[in-house]
Amino acid sequence: MIRLLVTGGTFDKEYDEIGGTLFFKDTHVAEMLRLGRSRVAVTVETVMLVDSLQMTEQDRARVAERCLVSAETHIVVTHGTDTMVETAAHLARHVTGKTVVLTGAMVPYAFGSSDGLFNLGSALSFVQVLPPGVYVAMHNQVLQFPGVTKDRNAGTFVKERA
Amino acid sequence: MIRLLVTGGTFDKEYDEIGGTLFFKDTHVAEMLRLGRSRVAVTVETVMLVDSLQMTEQDRARVAERCLVSAETHIVVTHGTDTMVETAAHLARHVTGKTVVLTGAMVPYAFGSSDGLFNLGSALSFVQVLPPGVYVAMHNQVLQFPGVTKDRNAGTFVKERA
Amino acid sequence: MIRLLVTGGTFDKEYDEIGGTLFFKDTHVAEMLRLGRSRVAVTVETVMLVDSLQMTEQDRARVAERCLVSAETHIVVTHGTDTMVETAAHLARHVTGKTVVLTGAMVPYAFGSSDGLFNLGSALSFVQVLPPGVYVAMHNQVLQFPGVTKDRNAGTFVKERA
Amino acid sequence: MIRLLVTGGTFDKEYDEIGGTLFFKDTHVAEMLRLGRSRVAVTVETVMLVDSLQMTEQDRARVAERCLVSAETHIVVTHGTDTMVETAAHLARHVTGKTVVLTGAMVPYAFGSSDGLFNLGSALSFVQVLPPGVYVAMHNQVLQFPGVTKDRNAGTFVKERA
């Protein structure tokens, strides 16, 4: 059994056709699990729907708290990529004994050419087999915290040099 | 480093707009890896492009041989779901010391609402972390061979009862 | 006000993920009108859902009868391309005083890369402004019956040579 | 023969996956004509790629000039919906003897659930059969200028009351 905590991010952004801007309405995770024909029990919990640039320390504490109280020991967190590293570092300090995998997308799922479905399939797989710890799974890679930074120019994540 | 062996299956079927039938042209795997923004080294090798109902024992021997000679010890095989169990059982008998994960799709990738991208993300993740053995990864599940059958009515895979 | 008569054809075919074949479930026309944000009153009537190769003379008579009894004088008919010419010729002999535009698709709407939405937008526009008569609208062209044949190799429609 | 003048608008916007914003790269019109399997000769000319809120009087003069010098007498103009009415009014004052149809989209073509393909099919059809004049074709409707305003709340176009 897996708990999936939704926090928003590019993953769940939509296009507001009147204003011409991006916004959040609902998470697409349930639809994506249907499309992926998932047969693993996944409990989806929307913690918040925010752009990760707007995420506060209070928000990160709330995500950590939801991981701590989760009955499931395998947890996937969808998250914006801009501050995914900060949240993962926070979780690595406060959550132990559980496998937590953060994932996100470079392009909104609703926009057709998204990497979201690929990343969700990846995160939900890594979380089933990795030992307890906090990880980010994107771009077909999995990296464990602490020790990961974002390469903002490349839009990806890399291991910190020793 | 991962080797990805393409054998065809629903995954790679396309619609022939003149004849109104389904056929194979090329694999979509490279395009899917681009969409998933994969940053893991994946060598794609098209072994064959067939409907798995047409797959012969000779074909299965050829897939096993490609696994055996592969320099990479982490191998993903895309395959039609109809005889995926037969090929996996064959590989389980002939390939040792490597992690081989078979995956496929219920709907062609080219048809928009496919589970293919989700399954590919899943298979490429499981293959990185599972110990040597032969597995099928579909529907967010991973099952190890021998001991797996297809539930044809549900269109999924299940553990054989002891 | 426009009446839209659905007869099936490639337009409305879907992929049966258990059997791996193409079949009809429901028409996608209402969804397509929503996607096109149509603000013209269109009454959708499903006359039948068949592959046009299976269409009988009785079926064609039924389409003609639905055109004749329609309160609307502007009628779009969705139809498989294989025998679209035969049905259009039949309608041209039996329906007068109304503008009837047949359209279809080379690729099912459900398959993502379909020409269906383009053709539907085209047919619904031609039908509003053309004088009474029977036409086929596909490939951005409109051709009036009688005098049109299908070029089966090119998968398109052409004017008959005098 | 039809000339298609591209000016940008929602139609051609794309998602910048590094910055998370919308921007213009190239027009998608050629790809859309391929998808629609257009068999009518359409000459595509990119006049500019701008958000129509940024369009200046100079820009509108340039669009009018491109209409005036066009060898084709049937012209489609893709345009953002925010100031489509202003450009159409400008064209109605300066371009005579040609059929000019403006169209656009509520959602970018690249985002999958766009009305763009429907509107393009519609505009390319209306332009072939309407008498000279300036029109906007969206939402399955065609309205002639002058005498049209935008209903900003509904995101559509309506006839001005006398």
Side-chain angles (χ1 to χ4, degrees):
Chain A
M1 304 242 303
I2 300 170
R3 178 155 297 252
L4 196 155
L5 301 178
V6 173
T7 74
T10 297
F11 214 80
D12 273 330
K13 279 193 182 164
E14 298 192 42
Y15 184 75
D16 168 19
E17 71 181 61
I18 301 298
T21 53
L22 302 172
F23 76 120
F24 293 106
K25 199 163 58 181
D26 284 308
T27 179
H28 298 88
V29 163
E31 181 188 336
M32 293 166 82
L33 290 171
R34 268 198 304 278
L35 194 63
R37 286 137 181 94
S38 171
R39 292 186 179 263
V40 170
V42 179
T43 302
V44 178
E45 174 186 342
T46 302
V47 182
M48 62 194 78
L49 280 174
V50 298
D51 186 315
S52 79
L53 288 173
Q54 312 300 324
M55 207 179 257
T56 63
E57 283 311 298
Q58 219 165 0
D59 289 332
R60 284 186 233 286
R62 201 163 134 219
V63 177
E65 189 261 340
R66 297 317 301 161
C67 290
L68 288 168
V69 303
S70 164
E72 296 85 359
T73 55
H74 300 82
I75 302 169
V76 168
V77 180
T78 64
H79 198 287
T81 58
D82 283 310
T83 68
M84 194 184 276
V85 162
E86 285 78 357
T87 299
H90 182 94
L91 296 180
R93 286 191 300 270
H94 294 92
V95 182
T96 53
K98 289 180 174 166
T99 303
V100 181
V101 178
L102 292 92
T103 195
M106 300 306 290
V107 173
Y109 170 69
F111 291 5
S113 63
S114 173
D115 51 340
L117 195 64
F118 184 88
N119 290 341
L120 187 64
S122 179
L124 285 168
S125 300
F126 279 129
V127 83
Q128 294 181 52
V129 286
L130 287 171
V134 175
Y135 309 82
V136 57
M138 281 194 68
H139 310 297
N140 200 14
Q141 289 180 313
V142 69
L143 298 167
Q144 186 168 8
F145 283 81
V148 179
T149 56
K150 186 171 182 191
D151 177 343
R152 290 189 190 278
N153 294 325
T156 187
F157 299 94
V158 289
K159 271 280 166 200
E160 281 175 333
R161 307 218 189 128
Chain B
M1 305 246 299
I2 300 169
R3 179 154 298 253
L4 198 155
L5 302 178
V6 173
T7 73
T10 297
F11 214 81
D12 273 329
K13 279 193 181 163
E14 298 191 45
Y15 184 75
D16 168 20
E17 70 181 62
I18 301 299
T21 53
L22 301 173
F23 76 121
F24 293 105
K25 198 164 57 181
D26 285 307
T27 179
H28 298 88
V29 163
E31 181 188 336
M32 294 166 81
L33 290 172
R34 268 197 305 276
L35 194 63
R37 285 136 181 94
S38 171
R39 291 185 179 264
V40 170
V42 180
T43 303
V44 179
E45 174 187 340
T46 301
V47 182
M48 60 193 79
L49 280 174
V50 298
D51 186 315
S52 79
L53 288 172
Q54 312 300 324
M55 207 178 258
T56 63
E57 283 311 298
Q58 218 165 2
D59 289 331
R60 282 184 236 286
R62 199 162 137 224
V63 177
E65 188 261 341
R66 297 315 302 159
C67 290
L68 288 168
V69 304
S70 163
E72 297 86 357
T73 55
H74 300 83
I75 302 169
V76 168
V77 180
T78 65
H79 198 288
T81 59
D82 282 312
T83 69
M84 195 184 275
V85 161
E86 285 77 358
T87 300
H90 182 94
L91 296 180
R93 285 191 300 272
H94 295 91
V95 182
T96 53
K98 289 180 174 168
T99 303
V100 181
V101 178
L102 292 90
T103 195
M106 301 305 292
V107 174
Y109 171 69
F111 290 5
S113 62
S114 174
D115 52 339
L117 195 64
F118 183 88
N119 291 341
L120 187 63
S122 179
L124 285 168
S125 301
F126 279 129
V127 83
Q128 294 182 51
V129 286
L130 286 171
V134 175
Y135 308 83
V136 57
M138 280 194 70
H139 311 297
N140 199 14
Q141 288 180 312
V142 70
L143 298 167
Q144 186 168 7
F145 284 78
V148 179
T149 56
K150 187 172 182 191
D151 176 343
R152 289 187 192 277
N153 294 325
T156 187
F157 299 93
V158 289
K159 271 279 165 202
E160 281 175 333
R161 305 220 189 125
Chain C
M1 304 244 301
I2 300 169
R3 178 155 297 252
L4 197 155
L5 301 178
V6 173
T7 74
T10 297
F11 214 80
D12 274 329
K13 278 193 181 163
E14 298 191 44
Y15 184 75
D16 168 19
E17 70 180 63
I18 301 299
T21 53
L22 302 172
F23 77 121
F24 292 106
K25 198 163 59 181
D26 285 308
T27 179
H28 298 87
V29 164
E31 182 188 336
M32 294 166 82
L33 289 172
R34 268 197 304 279
L35 194 64
R37 287 138 181 92
S38 170
R39 292 186 179 263
V40 169
V42 179
T43 302
V44 178
E45 175 186 340
T46 302
V47 182
M48 61 194 78
L49 279 174
V50 299
D51 186 316
S52 80
L53 288 172
Q54 311 300 324
M55 207 179 258
T56 63
E57 282 312 297
Q58 217 166 3
D59 289 332
R60 284 186 235 285
R62 198 161 138 225
V63 177
E65 188 261 340
R66 296 315 303 160
C67 290
L68 288 168
V69 304
S70 163
E72 297 85 357
T73 54
H74 300 83
I75 301 170
V76 167
V77 180
T78 65
H79 198 288
T81 59
D82 283 310
T83 68
M84 195 185 276
V85 161
E86 286 76 357
T87 300
H90 183 94
L91 296 180
R93 286 192 299 273
H94 295 91
V95 182
T96 53
K98 289 181 174 168
T99 303
V100 181
V101 178
L102 293 91
T103 195
M106 300 307 290
V107 173
Y109 171 69
F111 289 5
S113 62
S114 174
D115 52 339
L117 194 65
F118 183 89
N119 291 341
L120 187 63
S122 179
L124 285 168
S125 300
F126 279 129
V127 82
Q128 294 181 51
V129 286
L130 287 171
V134 175
Y135 308 83
V136 57
M138 280 193 70
H139 309 296
N140 200 15
Q141 288 180 313
V142 69
L143 298 167
Q144 186 168 7
F145 283 80
V148 179
T149 57
K150 187 172 181 190
D151 176 342
R152 289 186 193 277
N153 294 326
T156 187
F157 299 93
V158 289
K159 272 278 164 204
E160 281 176 333
R161 305 218 189 127
Chain D
M1 303 244 300
I2 299 170
R3 179 155 296 252
L4 197 156
L5 301 177
V6 173
T7 74
T10 296
F11 215 80
D12 273 330
K13 279 192 180 165
E14 298 193 43
Y15 184 74
D16 167 20
E17 71 181 62
I18 301 298
T21 53
L22 302 171
F23 76 121
F24 293 105
K25 199 164 57 182
D26 285 307
T27 179
H28 298 87
V29 163
E31 181 188 335
M32 293 166 82
L33 290 171
R34 268 198 304 278
L35 194 63
R37 286 136 182 93
S38 170
R39 292 185 181 264
V40 170
V42 179
T43 303
V44 178
E45 174 187 341
T46 301
V47 183
M48 61 193 80
L49 280 174
V50 298
D51 186 315
S52 79
L53 288 173
Q54 312 300 324
M55 206 179 258
T56 63
E57 282 311 298
Q58 219 165 0
D59 289 332
R60 283 184 234 287
R62 200 162 136 222
V63 177
E65 189 261 340
R66 297 315 302 160
C67 290
L68 288 168
V69 304
S70 163
E72 297 86 358
T73 55
H74 301 82
I75 302 169
V76 167
V77 180
T78 65
H79 199 287
T81 59
D82 283 311
T83 68
M84 195 183 276
V85 161
E86 286 77 357
T87 300
H90 183 94
L91 297 180
R93 285 192 301 271
H94 295 91
V95 182
T96 53
K98 289 182 174 166
T99 302
V100 181
V101 178
L102 293 91
T103 194
M106 300 306 291
V107 173
Y109 171 70
F111 290 6
S113 62
S114 175
D115 52 339
L117 195 64
F118 183 88
N119 291 341
L120 187 64
S122 179
L124 285 167
S125 301
F126 279 129
V127 83
Q128 294 181 51
V129 285
L130 287 171
V134 175
Y135 308 83
V136 57
M138 280 194 68
H139 311 297
N140 200 13
Q141 287 180 313
V142 70
L143 298 166
Q144 187 169 8
F145 282 79
V148 179
T149 56
K150 186 171 182 191
D151 176 342
R152 289 188 191 277
N153 294 325
T156 187
F157 299 93
V158 289
K159 271 278 164 202
E160 281 176 333
R161 305 219 190 126

